[in-house]
């Protein structure tokens, strides 16, 4: 029986961070009962796309899903249990912001059925937290990290690096401080700051008020992260993700291994297999319109389409080459006319293998560390080959 991940998107945040381009809105007085009915209805609707599949993970993401009342969380988990085959050992994660939780809240999340917490710590330096527009400080973050360690067996902390004026010496000491917490929680997601179009940071970047560190400093930081995490037994298993053995995120591994998943909530994406084709479903982006559509039309779906074979094959590469493990050729070959064993013999890809960007063993491939730092250009090369064949 194939396994399935379910993502629930909660679009509300207390404040909107100036770097963020996720599908989020400022939390206002929403009619929680209306939202509850909408999630329950849409979980039921979406269950028809994934009958007889065992749910191995649920992920509450956002936004700030730790703002959801534990009672509603429990209802959503129970509803998934009723409409799907929820594995008793399913990983159930929630993203939480340090500013919106106390010990009792963490305890209530666990009582509601959550067994993994992902904390948006971002930094343990107060100046950096202020720059990032976060509504928590380093003391609050440390307090929540300690509580989390006591309550949850599986947890993650999110960090952002590559901030203006962050030099190598300061970065090393900040990283070593954060790694002590990450090692006791078991998982670290560490992202380089991305300046996303249409965010306040983008305006500052364009006007010259915000200047990220130069490229060579950023790549040195990336190599320091690999060295230091390895020393703390937090091996890299995906470009930005590190874990103690056995603490990898089951839900996110599902995306990168191109397993099936359902996304429920404003803007959420799904990929399911239907008659041996890969189907893409996208929910309506605007929270208000998503809710209205469920109330008036009975569902919140914006797009439902079968992916072209080569689109699915490209998605296998885009997700699978982020991982440290090899990408098995069968995962790619089931969607592509041109097989992986033939592609690796083509000169543009052979060059990448000879140059140490890609490793190839029995037609399975993976990116090396050097390859991961230029992943976009590697993907472009594959795209040219795959799409010129169709
Ligand atoms: C979906 S966000 C939600 C987490 C939670 N709401 C929070 O902010 O604490 C997941 C993570 O993406 C990362 N992130 C968001 N925007 C980013 C950006 N522009 N550059 C780098 N990392 C970013 C942050 O580390 C954040 O914790
Ligand atoms: S709290 Fe998280 S999701 Fe919300 S705006 Fe900030 S980074 Fe984005």
């Amino acid at each position: 029986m194939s396994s399935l991940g379910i993502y629930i998107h909660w679009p509300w945040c207390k404040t909107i961070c100036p770097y963020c381009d996720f599908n989020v809105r400022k939390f206002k007085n929403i009619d929680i009962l209306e939202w509850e009915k909408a999630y329950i209805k849409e979980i039921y609707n979406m269950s028809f796309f994934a009958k007889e599949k065992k749910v191995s993970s649920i992920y509450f993401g956002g936004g700030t899903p730790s703002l959801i009342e534990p009672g509603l969380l429990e209802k959503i988990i129970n509803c998934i249990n009723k409409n799907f085959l929820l594995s008793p050992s399913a990983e159930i994660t929630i993203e939480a912001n340090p500013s919106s939780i106390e010990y009792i809240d963490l305890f209530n999340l666990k009582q509601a059925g959550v067994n993994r917490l992902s904390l948006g710590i971002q930094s343990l330096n107060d100046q950096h937290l202020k720059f990032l527009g976060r509504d928590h400080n380093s003391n609050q973050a440390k307090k929540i990290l300690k509580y989390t360690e006591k309550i949850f067996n599986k947890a993650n902390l999110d960090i952002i690096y590559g901030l203006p004026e962050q030099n190598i010496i300061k970065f090393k000491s900040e990283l070593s401080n954060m790694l002590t917490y990450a090692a006791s929680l078991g998982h670290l997601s560490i992202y380089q700051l991305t300046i996303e179009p249409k965010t306040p940071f983008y305006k500052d970047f364009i006007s010259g008020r915000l200047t990220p560190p130069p490229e060579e400093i950023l790549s040195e930081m990336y190599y320091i992260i690999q060295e230091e995490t390895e020393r703390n037994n937090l091996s890299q298993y995906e470009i930005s993700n590190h874990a103690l053995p056995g603490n990898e995120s089951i839900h996110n591994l599902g995306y990168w291994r191109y397993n099936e998943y359902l996304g429920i909530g404003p803007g959420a994406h799904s990929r399911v297999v239907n008659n041996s084709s890969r189907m893409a479903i996208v929910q309506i982006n605007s929270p208000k319109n998503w809710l209205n559509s469920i109330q008036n039309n009975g569902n919140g779906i914006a797009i439902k389409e079968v992916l072209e074979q080569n689109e699915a094959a490209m998605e296998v590469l885009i997700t699978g080459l982020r991982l440290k493990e090899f990408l098995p050729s069968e995962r790619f070959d089931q969607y592509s006319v041109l097989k992986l064993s033939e592609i690796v013999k083509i000169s543009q890809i052979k060059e990448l293998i000879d140059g140490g960007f890609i490793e190839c063993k029995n037609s399975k491939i993976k990116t090396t560390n050097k390859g991961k730092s230029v992943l976009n250009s590697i993907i472009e090369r594959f795209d040219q080959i795959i799409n010129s064949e169709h």
Side-chain angles (χ1 to χ4, degrees), residues 144-196:
I144 292 302
L145 283 163
K146 292 234 163 74
Y147 293 163
T148 302
E149 207 186 311
K150 284 201 183 117
I151 296 179
F152 288 95
N153 292 331
K154 271 187 113 179
N156 164 57
L157 68 144
D158 280 348
I159 293 295
I160 301 183
Y161 75 98
L163 309 181
E165 285 161 49
Q166 195 173 33
N167 62 34
I168 296 289
I169 296 170
K170 279 196 216 156
F171 174 66
K172 266 191 171 168
S173 84
E174 282 161 9
L175 181 67
S176 115
N177 189 15
M178 289 182 294
L179 283 179
T180 52
Y181 290 98
S184 52
L185 294 190
H187 195 287
L188 171 74
S189 299
I190 182 156
Y191 305 105
Q192 186 184 308
L193 175 68
T194 319
I195 308 294
E196 303 286 358

Side-chain angles (χ1 to χ4, degrees), residues 41 67 99 112 186 203 230-231 244 300 303 314 325 335 353:
K41 174 88 173 92
L67 293 172
S99 68
K203 277 192 209 134
E230 202 60 50
R231 258 177 3 130
L244 296 180
I303 301 170
M314 275 313 298
E325 67 189 23
Y335 298 113
I353 298 171

Side-chain angles (χ1 to χ4, degrees), residues 321-385:
L321 291 180
R322 299 183 64 86
L323 288 172
K324 194 167 189 187
E325 67 189 23
F326 277 100
L327 190 161
S329 49
E330 313 82 66
R331 192 189 296 160
F332 175 84
D333 290 349
Q334 64 180 311
Y335 298 113
S336 181
V337 178
L338 202 55
K339 303 300 169 212
L340 205 51
S341 56
E342 298 164 307
I343 294 182
V344 293
K345 291 185 196 137
I346 296 173
S347 61
Q348 294 102 301
I349 302 301
K350 246 186 121 301
E351 267 172 25
L352 294 174
I353 298 171
D354 296 342
F357 295 95
I358 288 180
E359 212 180 312
C360 176
K361 203 157 84 188
N362 306 328
S363 302
K364 295 183 295 185
I365 57 167
K366 68 175 188 179
T367 45
T368 59
N369 240 341
K370 190 171 152 190
K372 283 187 174 66
S373 61
V374 290
L375 185 59
N376 288 347
S377 46
I378 294 181
I379 296 292
E380 266 171 39
R381 269 198 202 189
F382 276 99
D383 194 27
Q384 280 158 8
I385 294 168

Side-chain angles (χ1 to χ4, degrees), residues 25 33 41 74 113 116 122 124 143 146 178 208 225 230 251 269 273 286 303 352 358:
R25 305 285 187 281
L33 204 62
K41 174 88 173 92
E74 203 171 341
R116 182 174 182 270
Q122 318 310 350
L124 290 174
K143 189 178 78 178
K146 292 234 163 74
M178 289 182 294
I225 292 168
E230 202 60 50
H251 186 82
H269 287 241
V273 175
S286 139
I303 301 170
L352 294 174
I358 288 180

Side-chain angles (χ1 to χ4, degrees), residues 53 61 96 106 124 134 141 150 165 183 194 212 217 227 250 252 264 309 340 346 373-374:
K53 306 239 163 89
L106 293 185
L124 290 174
R134 300 293 294 188
K150 284 201 183 117
E165 285 161 49
T194 319
I217 300 286
E227 268 174 24
I250 294 173
N252 290 334
I264 296 158
Q309 293 289 83
L340 205 51
I346 296 173
S373 61
V374 290

Side-chain angles (χ1 to χ4, degrees), residues 4-10 21-23 42 46 49-50 59 61 251-252 254-255 258-273 278-286 290 300-305 307 311 315 319:
L4 178 79
I6 296 186
Y7 174 79
I8 304 287
H9 188 74
W10 176 261
D21 84 332
F22 285 85
N23 187 24
E42 200 60 352
M46 296 294 278
F49 295 107
Y59 193 105
H251 186 82
N252 290 334
Y255 294 136
Y258 212 50
N259 292 346
E260 291 178 81
Y261 54 90
L262 286 179
I264 296 158
H269 287 241
S270 305
R271 291 288 183 278
V272 280
V273 175
R278 193 85 174 171
M279 197 175 175
I281 306 164
V282 186
Q283 301 250 294
I284 293 167
N285 206 55
S286 139
W290 180 80
I301 295 172
I303 301 170
K304 191 172 76 185
E305 62 185 13
L307 289 180
E311 273 182 89
E315 287 191 349
T319 49

Side-chain angles (χ1 to χ4, degrees), residues 12-22 24 62-64 95 97 122 134-135 160:
W12 311 106
C13 292
K14 272 205 216 152
T15 53
I16 304 296
C17 308
Y19 53 86
C20 183
D21 84 332
F22 285 85
V24 295
T64 308
E95 288 176 349
N97 288 33
Q122 318 310 350
R134 300 293 294 188
D135 59 357
I160 301 183

